[in-house]
Amino acid sequence: MNSPTSDRPQVTEADVLKALRGVKDPDLHRDLVSLNFIDNLKIEGSVVSFDINLTTPACPVKEKLRDEAREAVMALAGVSEVRVNVKAEVRQHAGLDKSALASVRNIVAVGSGKGGVGKSTVATNLAVGLAQTGARVGLLDADIYGPSIPIMLGVHEQAELRGNRIIPVEKYGVRFVSMGLFVPGEKPLIWRGPMAHKALSQCLFQVDWGELDYLIVDLPPGTGDVHLTLVQSVPVTGGVIVSTPQDVGWKISLKTLRMFQQTNVAILGIIENMSYHICSHCGAREDIFGSGGAAKASKELGIPFLGEIPIDIGIRIRADEGTPIIIADPDSPSAKAYQQILGKLAAQISIQNYQRPSLRIEEVPA
Ligand code: ADP
């Protein structure tokens, strides 16, 4: 006589994959199987185990995908247990593997139309926040007109020189280099094109970055030589624009947008900084400068809106103290805003990398 367990239908690999084809990544608009996200599928009796290999450890829908995948397989006849292991492997942007930065998977340029909008603060918090998710992150301070990131990261030492190689300073899990550090003598007040070109090239190619998932480049405000050198030297995954609500009609930020577009840099999205104020007494939100300007502009221009960050004295104080708020006060509304934004940014980077045809994407028959 058969035991009750042997009566149970044996689930097959094909059944499991069919079930997982019903689970879609909401950002990439494809199912987990056709995206090649499923690895190490094993069936032992009625126990099914597999890995989901996401495109970023900062994936904002990590838990949702894991739960949906587990439920889909659990619903199959003959399955008593599903073990899902979620991991991530950041995919490399097209062409970087053949460049002088082959160990870097993505280069993200952060720009703004003018200074003082909080671009460097955003770049720093995003870099540190991405590193906290487990990603390997580099941060290049290319804002030659106001290199403020060393203060924000509390980095007082110079990057080390070994022979003609630059060893980045490691802080909060981020490998950091500032362009300002490699200019001999007095730092120039005026950067001529060739000087900016040389300093940026050194900071890109003479640095021992090691393996990086994301290299965040904090550009100088406006448009100019540093940006041009960057895009002419390496394939950039995309650009992020930091704006403020005072940018009436989005006139200033539009120049940054055009700069990215004219140099064929994909727009990963817009971030509105100093968007609103949270009353430190009652916690109420005050839209001092009106609200939704950048969100509206991004909708009209057809580019992603990554989110808004409040005006928060805590952001300024933590920056001056050398500990980004995302580390110093991770449960604050501002840190939460950065966390949400970095999830969306990482998703946009993945979208860019999946849009290129060379990737291994299996077509699903209609
Ligand atoms: P940029 O890189 O655009 O020139 P910074 O990042 O250097 O601007 O920021 C300018 C100043 O504004 C710094 O003192 C910084 O601490 C502060 N700051 C940036 N973002 C915020 C914010 N959301 N709330 C309060 N202060 C901020």
Side-chain angles (χ1 to χ4, degrees), residues 115-121 148 152 273-274 310-312 315-316 319:
V117 300
K119 172 182 51 57
S120 302
T121 317
S148 48
M152 294 182 192
N273 189 34
M274 309 194 198
I311 291 193
D312 175 3
I315 293 181
R316 210 266 308 140

Side-chain angles (χ1 to χ4, degrees), residues 104-347:
V104 175
R105 301 213 164 170
N106 292 283
I107 298 174
V108 176
V110 181
S112 64
K114 59 174 184 169
V117 300
K119 172 182 51 57
S120 302
T121 317
V122 168
T124 305
N125 275 283
L126 294 184
V128 170
L130 280 167
Q132 282 188 311
T133 69
R136 299 164 300 179
V137 183
L139 177 60
L140 171 52
D141 180 5
D143 187 351
I144 44 182
Y145 301 108
S148 48
I149 300 184
I151 298 169
M152 294 182 192
L153 284 178
V155 169
H156 307 294
E157 65 272 37
Q158 300 249 343
E160 196 187 326
L161 274 171
R162 272 189 217 151
N164 67 348
R165 304 294 297 167
I166 299 164
I167 312 298
V169 176
E170 186 136 0
K171 197 75 194 267
Y172 307 121
V174 170
R175 290 169 222 165
F176 169 67
V177 167
S178 176
M179 234 169 100
L181 298 174
F182 295 96
V183 183
E186 281 294 300
K187 279 183 198 136
L189 292 174
I190 302 165
W191 285 74
R192 285 178 295 107
M195 203 161 25
H197 175 85
K198 191 166 171 239
L200 182 72
S201 301
Q202 273 186 324
C203 286
L204 280 173
F205 304 120
Q206 268 173 249
V207 174
D208 280 343
W209 289 111
E211 296 275 328
L212 289 184
D213 293 319
Y214 305 108
L215 174 58
I216 313 282
V217 182
D218 183 31
L219 293 174
T223 52
D225 295 315
V226 173
H227 169 81
L228 279 178
T229 297
L230 179 71
V231 299
Q232 284 164 2
S233 312
V234 273
V236 173
T237 306
V240 173
I241 299 165
V242 181
S243 181
T244 60
Q246 299 100 305
D247 184 353
V248 182
W250 231 65
K251 283 206 176 94
I252 307 163
S253 301
L254 211 51
K255 288 187 188 156
T256 315
L257 178 78
R258 299 284 177 244
M259 168 183 82
F260 283 138
Q261 286 173 332
Q262 280 169 10
T263 49
N264 286 325
V265 174
I267 309 292
L268 297 170
I270 300 166
I271 297 170
E272 189 171 86
N273 189 34
M274 309 194 198
S275 252
Y276 54 94
H277 180 244
I278 296 176
C279 174
S280 49
H281 302 293
C282 67
R285 173 178 167 145
E286 299 165 323
D287 290 313
I288 313 173
F289 306 107
S291 72
K296 189 165 160 266
S298 57
K299 200 165 177 196
E300 282 167 9
L301 294 162
I303 50 183
F305 180 61
L306 299 178
E308 44 189 36
I309 300 156
I311 291 193
D312 175 3
I313 189 166
I315 293 181
R316 210 266 308 140
I317 291 173
R318 300 304 192 179
D320 286 353
E321 285 173 356
T323 315
I325 196 160
I326 202 160
I327 294 259
D329 198 358
D331 295 323
S332 62
S334 301
K336 295 247 182 277
Y338 284 124
Q339 283 153 7
Q340 270 190 7
I341 289 171
L342 70 87
K344 286 193 185 155
L345 171 63

